[in-house]
C-alpha cells in the first residue's frame, strides 16, 4: 500500500490540497479562538486559499493528460479550464459574502459559511477531474450536501428553512434517480469507469438484447441530471431555493453548481455514452430527448419569469432559461467547437450572474428585501449600481455589444451541426424576445419609478471590487470576444475535436 501511494504524483493535487488546507485552518481557528472574537476576517483566509489554488492551477498549464488514483482522477485541459472557472467564481462570490450587515444574526456562523463554501468548491473540483462514476458522484454529493447547509444557514428566516428542506428533498431524489439509472448500465458493463463503460457499450450497441435496460438507465439518469442543472420540467426547487438563500449563496448555486452539472454531463456523454451517440438510431433518440429538454427549459424559464415580483426569483427562472440555452449545444455533440462554445458561455454567464446577484445583495442589504420595488429609482440613489445592473440584464437578455449576445451567437452557430436546428434556433429566438419584458421591467423600475427614499445606497469595497471585475469582463468579452475565444480554440481539449473510431482514443 505504501508503494502505491508513493507512486502517485501528488503534485497534480496541489489545488485541491490547498483548498483542504484552508478548510482545516478555518475549522481549527474557529475551535481555538474564543466566541467573543469576531470571525468576519475569516473570509480573507478562505479567499487566500482559493487564490492559492488558482495559482497552482495556472501553474499546471499547459498540461498533457495524466491519470492518478488508479485511473479514476484525470488531469486534462478540460478539467483545468473548469477548475479555473470554479475558483474564479468562488473568489468573486467570497468577496461579496465578506460584506455583511452590522447586526447580522448569522455572524456567529461566519466560519461555517466559509468552510461550507470551500467544501462545495472542493466537490466541484473533484468532479472536474473524475472519470469514474464513484468519484464523480462523491464530488457531486460533496458539492450538493455543502450547498444544502449553505442555503439553510439563516435558520431564523422561514424562507431559508423552507428552501433548505426543498433543496435537500429534491437533491436526494435527483441523486437516487441517477444512481438507480446507472445501476442498469452497471449491470450491462460491470464497471464504473467511464472509459471502460464506453468500451462495453460499443460491444453491445449492435445488439438489441440490452436495449430496454439502456433506455431505462438513460432516462433515469437524464432526470437526475436535469434536477441538478434545474432544467424544466425538473426545475421546481430553484426559484424557492434562490429566494431563500443569501445572495452570495444563490450566485454560487447559479454559477458553480450549474457549471459542475454541465461538466458532469459532458464527461458522461462524451466518454461513457460516446459509442451510443455515434450509433445512428441511438444517437438520434438521445439527441431528441436533449433537444426537447433544452426547448422546454427555454420556454418555461422565460414565460414563468414574466409573473415574478421578486428579483431573485426572476434570476432563478432566468437561470433555468440559461440552462436551456447551454443545453442546445448537446444535440450537436459531433461539433468540434462544443467545448469552446460551452466554456465561453459559462464564463460570460459567470460574469453577468455574479454581477446581478452582487447588486441584489447590496440593494437588499440596504432596503431589507429583494422585491422589485426595492429597485425603484435605483439609478438616482446609486448611479453606479443602476448602470451596472442594467449592463448585466442587457447581457443576460443577449443584446448586441454585450458578452451575452456573443455567447448566444456561438451556441446558435454550433446547433447548425444538429438535425434539430430548426427547433432549437426558433425556440431560442422566440424566448429571447420574451425575456426582454422581464429584464427591461427591472431596468424600467431603476430608471423611471420614483425612489422610495432619497438616501444614497452605500457600497463597501468588497462587493464594489466584484462588480467592477464582472463589469469589465462583461464589456470586454462583448466588444473583444476574441480575447478569450482565441485561447479556447487553441486548447487541445482531447474529446470531440477529431473523428474518433474507438473509445480508447479518447484517453490519448
Amino acid at each position: 500500500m505504501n508503494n502505491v501511494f508513493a507512486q502517485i504524483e501528488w503534485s497534480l493535487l496541489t489545488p485541491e490540497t490547498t483548498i483542504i488546507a484552508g478548510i482545516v485552518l478555518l475549522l481549527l481557528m474557529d475551535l481555538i479562538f474564543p466566541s467573543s472574537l469576531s470571525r468576519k476576517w475569516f473570509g480573507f483566509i478562505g479567499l487566500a486559499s482559493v487564490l492559492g489554488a488558482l495559482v497552482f492551477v495556472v501553474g499546471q498549464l499547459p498540461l498533457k493528460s495524466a491519470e492518478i488514483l488508479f485511473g479514476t482522477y484525470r488531469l486534462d485541459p478540460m478539467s483545468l479550464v473548469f477548475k479555473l472557472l470554479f475558483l474564479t467564481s468562488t473568489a468573486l462570490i467570497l468577496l461579496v459574502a465578506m460584506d455583511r450587515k452590522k447586526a447580522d444574526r448569522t455572524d456567529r456562523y461566519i466560519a461555517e459559511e466559509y468552510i461550507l463554501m470551500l467544501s462545495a468548491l472542493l466537490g466541484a473540483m473533484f468532479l472536474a477531474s473524475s472519470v469514474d462514476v464513484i468519484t464523480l458522484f462523491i464530488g457531486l454529493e460533496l458539492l450538493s450536501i455543502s450547498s444544502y447547509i449553505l442555503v439553510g444557514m439563516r435558520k431564523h428566516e422561514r424562507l431559508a428553512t423552507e428552501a433548505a428542506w426543498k433543496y435537500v428533498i429534491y437533491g436526494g431524489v435527483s441523486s437516487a434517480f441517477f444512481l438507480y439509472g446507472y445501476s442498469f448500465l452497471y449491470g450491462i458493463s460491470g464497471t464504473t469507469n467511464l472509459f471502460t463503460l464506453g468500451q462495453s457499450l460499443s460491444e453491445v450497441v449492435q445488439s438489441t438484447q440490452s436495449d430496454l435496460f439502456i433506455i431505462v438507465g438513460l432516462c433515469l439518469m437524464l432526470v437526475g441530471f436535469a434536477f441538478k442543472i434545474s432544467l424544466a420540467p425538473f426545475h421546481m426547487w430553484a426559484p424557492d431555493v434562490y429566494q431563500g438563500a443569501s445572495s452570495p449563496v444563490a450566485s454560487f448555486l447559479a454559477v458553480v453548481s450549474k457549471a459542475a452539472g454541465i461538466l458532469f454531463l459532458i464527461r458522461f456523454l462524451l466518454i461513457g455514452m460516446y459509442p451510443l451517440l455515434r450509433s445512428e438510431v441511438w444517437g438520434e433518440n438521445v439527441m431528441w430527448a436533449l433537444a426537447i429538454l433544452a426547448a422546454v427549459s427555454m420556454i418555461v424559464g422565460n414565460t414563468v419569469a414574466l409573473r415574478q415580483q421578486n428579483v431573485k426569483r426572476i434570476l432563478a427562472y432566468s437561470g433555468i432559461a440559461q440552462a436551456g440555452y447551454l443545453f442546445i449545444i448537446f444535440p450537436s455533440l459531433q461539433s468540434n467547437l462544443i467545448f469552446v462554445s460551452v466554456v465561453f458561455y459559462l464564463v460570460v454567464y459567470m460574469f453577468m450572474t455574479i454581477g446581478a446577484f452582487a447588486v441584489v445583495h447590496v440593494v437588499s442589504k440596504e432596503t431589507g428585501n429583494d422585491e422589485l420595488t426595492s429597485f425603484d429609482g435605483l439609478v438616482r440613489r446609486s448611479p453606479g449600481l443602476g448602470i451596472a445592473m442594467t449592463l448585466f440584464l442587457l447581457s443576460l437578455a443577449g443584446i448586441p455589444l454585450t458578452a451575452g449576445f456573443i455567447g448566444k451567437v456561438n451556441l446558435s452557430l454550433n446547433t447548425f451541426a444538429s438535425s434539430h436546428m430548426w427547433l432549437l434556433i426558433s425556440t431560442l429566438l422566440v424566448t429571447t424576445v420574451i425575456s426582454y419584458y422581464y429584464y427591461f421591467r427591472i431596468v424600467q423600475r431603476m430608471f423611471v419609478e420614483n425612489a422610495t427614499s432619497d438616501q444614497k445606497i452605500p457600497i463597501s469595497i468588497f462587493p464594489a471590487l466584484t462588480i467592477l471585475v464582472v463589469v469589465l469582463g462583461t464589456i470586454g468579452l462583448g466588444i473583444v470576444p476574441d480575447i478569450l475565444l482565441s485561447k479556447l480554440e487553441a486548447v487541445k481539449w482531447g474529446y470531440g475535436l477529431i473523428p474518433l473510431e474507438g473509445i480508447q482514443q479518447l484517453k490519448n
Side-chain angles (χ1 to χ4, degrees):
M1 182 63 70
N2 291 334
N3 291 333
V4 171
F5 282 102
Q7 293 172 3
I8 295 176
E9 193 176 350
W10 292 105
S11 61
L12 298 177
L13 287 171
T14 47
E16 290 83 352
T17 306
T18 304
I19 298 298
I20 293 173
I23 294 171
V24 172
L25 182 59
L26 285 172
L27 279 169
L28 292 175
M29 293 178 67
D30 188 41
L31 287 172
I32 294 171
F33 288 0
S35 58
S36 58
L37 185 66
S38 175
R39 264 74 170 158
K40 290 185 178 181
W41 58 275
F42 277 25
F44 290 104
I45 298 174
L47 183 61
S49 65
V50 172
L51 294 178
L54 190 60
V55 170
F56 283 122
V57 172
V58 172
Q60 291 175 339
L61 295 171
L63 173 74
K64 292 184 178 179
S65 298
E67 289 183 353
I68 56 176
L69 302 177
F70 311 103
T72 62
Y73 203 78
R74 182 178 175 86
L75 272 294
D76 55 29
M78 183 163 67
S79 65
L80 291 179
V81 169
F82 271 87
K83 286 178 185 178
L84 288 173
L85 177 66
F86 296 152
L87 289 164
T88 304
S89 302
T90 306
L92 294 171
I93 293 167
L94 278 173
L95 282 173
V96 179
M98 289 163 65
D99 176 48
R100 312 181 74 89
K101 296 179 182 178
K102 291 182 179 179
D104 196 330
R105 298 181 69 179
T106 61
D107 273 358
R108 53 181 167 169
Y109 306 122
I110 289 179
E112 287 89 341
E113 183 173 335
Y114 296 139
I115 290 167
L116 288 166
M117 195 167 289
L118 291 181
S119 299
L121 169 64
L122 182 64
M125 293 176 69
F126 271 113
L127 191 150
S129 290
S130 297
V131 289
D132 188 276
V133 173
I134 293 176
T135 50
L136 276 168
F137 188 74
I138 289 173
L140 185 65
E141 287 307 292
L142 178 58
L143 168 63
S144 300
I145 293 171
S146 300
S147 300
Y148 302 155
I149 306 171
L150 277 171
V151 172
M153 287 289 290
R154 302 187 298 172
K155 62 181 182 180
H156 300 289
E157 298 186 19
R158 182 184 62 82
L159 286 177
T161 306
E162 179 185 347
W165 272 111
K166 287 183 178 179
Y167 198 14
V168 168
I169 293 170
Y170 283 120
V173 168
S174 67
S175 298
F177 268 101
F178 173 79
L179 288 178
Y180 186 49
Y182 190 77
S183 68
F184 288 93
L185 296 184
Y186 182 79
I188 295 171
S189 63
T191 183
T192 57
N193 184 278
L194 294 182
F195 289 107
T196 310
L197 171 65
Q199 292 172 346
S200 299
L201 289 182
S202 65
E203 297 170 1
V204 302
V205 74
Q206 302 299 330
S207 171
T208 59
Q209 295 179 356
S210 303
D211 279 4
L212 179 60
F213 294 103
I214 295 176
I215 291 171
V216 173
L218 282 178
C219 289
L220 291 172
M221 284 189 293
L222 200 55
V223 170
F225 281 127
F227 268 114
K228 294 293 184 185
I229 306 172
S230 68
L231 283 170
F234 310 104
H235 65 284
M236 296 79 72
W237 60 272
D240 292 333
V241 170
Y242 283 32
Q243 184 180 8
S246 64
S247 296
V249 172
S251 61
F252 185 89
L253 299 178
V255 177
V256 177
S257 291
K258 196 179 294 291
I262 292 290
L263 175 59
F264 194 168
L265 189 58
I266 289 175
R267 288 279 195 194
F268 195 82
L269 287 178
L270 287 190
I271 302 177
M273 296 288 105
Y274 195 80
L276 221 58
L277 300 180
R278 286 178 62 84
S279 168
E280 183 176 350
V281 176
W282 274 103
E284 185 66 18
N285 291 334
V286 173
M287 294 315 170
W288 262 112
L290 298 177
I292 291 171
L293 274 177
V296 171
S297 296
M298 287 186 277
I299 294 170
V300 171
N302 284 308
T303 53
V304 180
L306 298 174
R307 297 180 57 84
Q308 304 304 312
Q309 300 299 318
N310 183 280
V311 178
K312 281 187 183 178
R313 293 185 72 87
I314 291 175
L315 292 175
Y317 280 107
S318 169
I320 294 165
Q322 300 292 334
Y325 299 147
L326 269 169
F327 229 62
I328 69 173
I329 199 72
F330 286 102
S332 57
L333 282 176
Q334 308 293 337
S335 172
N336 291 344
L337 297 178
I338 174 176
F339 299 108
V340 175
S341 300
V342 168
V343 173
F344 182 84
Y345 196 80
L346 283 173
V347 172
V348 170
Y349 179 70
M350 171 190 73
F351 285 139
M352 53 197 185
T353 303
I354 291 177
F357 275 108
V359 174
V360 172
H361 167 79
V362 175
V363 173
S364 62
K365 177 186 170 185
E366 179 67 20
T367 61
N369 68 81
D370 40 47
E371 299 297 318
L372 270 174
T373 53
S374 64
F375 281 77
D376 289 352
L378 178 62
V379 76
R380 289 183 286 278
R381 298 185 65 186
S382 179
L385 284 178
I387 293 172
M389 187 65 169
T390 301
L391 174 64
F392 301 138
L393 294 172
L394 292 177
S395 187
L396 284 166
I399 300 298
L401 296 181
T402 64
F405 172 75
I406 303 297
K408 287 183 180 179
V409 167
N410 277 333
L411 291 174
S412 301
L413 289 175
N414 277 278
T415 60
F416 281 97
S418 166
S419 59
H420 314 93
M421 181 257 300
W422 62 272
L423 169 66
L424 298 174
I425 296 297
S426 60
T427 307
L428 185 146
L429 292 175
V430 171
T431 55
T432 297
V433 173
I434 293 174
S435 71
Y436 293 163
Y437 177 82
Y438 62 83
Y439 287 132
F440 283 98
R441 187 163 56 138
I442 302 176
V443 176
Q444 179 263 336
R445 284 193 168 272
M446 292 192 295
F447 282 85
V448 178
E449 298 294 333
N450 294 323
T452 55
S453 171
D454 295 330
Q455 186 177 0
K456 297 295 182 181
I457 296 181
I459 177 171
S460 70
I461 183 66
F462 300 124
L465 183 58
T466 293
I467 292 172
L468 176 62
V469 170
V470 295
V471 162
L472 293 176
T474 304
I475 294 174
L477 292 181
I479 298 176
V480 195
D482 197 54
I483 294 174
L484 179 60
L485 282 173
S486 59
K487 291 180 172 57
L488 293 176
E489 289 168 359
V491 174
K492 304 299 182 183
W493 295 96
Y495 309 121
L497 295 181
I498 56 174
L500 299 174
E501 302 301 331
I503 196 69
Q504 186 62 32
Q505 290 180 263
L506 287 170
K507 302 185 70 172
N508 299 325

